[in-house]
Amino acid sequence: NAGVMQNPRHLVRRRGQEARLRCSPMKGHSHVYWYRQLPEEGLKFMVYLQKENIIDESGMPKERFSAEFPKEGPSILRIQQVVRGDSAAYFCASSPGRSQETQYFGPGTRLLVL
Amino acid sequence: AQSVTQLDSHVSVSEGTPVLLRCNYSSSYSPSLFWYVQHPNKGLQLLLKYTSAATLVKGINGFEAEFKKSETSFHLTKPSAHMSDAAEYFCVVSLYGGATNKLIFGTGTLLAVQP
């Protein structure tokens, strides 16, 4: 049973470009979460999605960031017009349902903005 | 509000000696608590979780944690450290309610294991 998959593992972008980060949840999981880890900090919640719905986006920056989890395909975290401060590790997690079940994390995408 | 405080940013132990990583939580109701481990440039792996069953929780790789409501603590321990335990450890509380289900992370404790 494959775990949570994220790609790319590493992404380099120049300021002003767009970054697209993909997350495929574990088989049977319909809930996806995105977290950001800035250098030498803990993880911070960004957004919680179910298929075709954003449930909680209270941790998303107001501008340039968006997330989706379509009916088919992976969840996408999109960052438009990246700036150096967006450089971080972005982790995706998934769970089978909402309750208080464990969230399983992917290996992360490390974004570097030049 | 839910939060966790990890009391030590760095802990250094010798191989074969006990490990203690301290965590205090704040919660308005009975929390779900977790410890995750992150090896350098890797993802997060769940070590153990507490969800209001037994207060002493056993995890993987010989780790365990005890939930103490009176002290609002959830410290992580291991009797004998191994070199492979060197990593960053995160104490985490789940914020669940209404429409949300998110994890609140502590700032992490970096464990170094000396030979």
Side-chain angles (χ1 to χ4, degrees):
Chain A
N1 185 13
V4 178
M5 298 175 68
Q6 291 187 248
N7 67 81
R9 295 290 304 275
H10 299 273
L11 183 62
V12 179
R13 285 287 179 267
R14 297 192 180 279
R15 283 178 294 171
Q17 291 184 318
E18 179 180 287
R20 279 182 179 246
L21 288 62
R22 295 174 186 77
C23 168
S24 295
M26 287 178 70
K27 187 176 181 180
H29 288 194
S30 58
H31 296 244
V32 164
Y33 315 80
W34 286 93
Y35 294 82
R36 177 167 65 175
Q37 183 178 32
L38 293 169
E40 300 188 20
E41 292 188 15
L43 278 74
K44 297 286 197 297
F45 169 81
M46 298 181 75
V47 63
Y48 162 35
L49 310 104
Q50 280 182 268
K51 288 282 188 182
E52 300 183 279
N53 285 304
I54 296 174
I55 307 301
D56 178 0
E57 56 181 345
S58 59
M60 287 281 270
K62 299 296 182 203
E63 297 177 345
R64 302 187 297 106
F65 284 72
S66 62
E68 63 176 7
F69 189 16
K71 187 176 180 181
E72 302 290 339
S75 175
I76 306 286
L77 179 68
R78 182 183 178 204
I79 312 172
Q80 295 179 287
Q81 299 174 332
V82 296
V83 300
R84 288 212 172 117
D86 297 332
S87 295
Y90 292 83
F91 290 94
C92 170
S94 72
S95 68
R98 186 167 78 89
S99 69
Q100 294 187 53
E101 293 175 62
T102 303
Q103 295 181 22
Y104 295 90
F105 283 81
T109 294
R110 282 154 181 85
L111 172 66
L112 175 63
V113 180
L114 301 177
Chain B
Q2 313 284 81
S3 67
V4 288
T5 302
Q6 291 185 245
L7 300 169
D8 307 292
S9 58
H10 294 82
V11 170
S12 182
V13 300
S14 298
E15 190 175 21
T17 64
V19 175
L20 170 63
L21 304 183
R22 298 182 295 165
C23 173
N24 287 113
Y25 70 89
S26 172
S27 175
S28 53
Y29 52 83
S30 183
S32 289
L33 292 160
F34 308 80
W35 277 97
Y36 283 86
V37 60
Q38 183 180 30
H39 290 275
N41 296 314
K42 296 288 180 63
L44 284 90
Q45 181 181 22
L46 178 69
L47 278 179
L48 49 82
K49 67 176 181 179
Y50 166 77
T51 53
S52 74
T55 56
L56 182 62
V57 183
K58 292 189 184 298
I60 62 170
N61 301 336
F63 285 94
E64 62 182 37
E66 186 171 7
F67 175 75
K68 290 187 177 180
K69 187 175 181 179
S70 61
E71 299 176 10
T72 61
S73 69
F74 189 57
H75 301 335
L76 181 71
T77 60
K78 182 174 180 177
S80 176
H82 191 273
M83 295 296 290
S84 61
D85 294 328
E88 188 152 27
Y89 293 78
F90 292 98
C91 182
V92 181
V93 65
S94 171
L95 177 59
Y96 168 74
T100 197
N101 181 27
K102 60 189 176 188
L103 301 180
I104 311 296
F105 282 76
T107 50
T109 297
L110 191 60
L111 175 66
V113 181
Q114 310 299 330

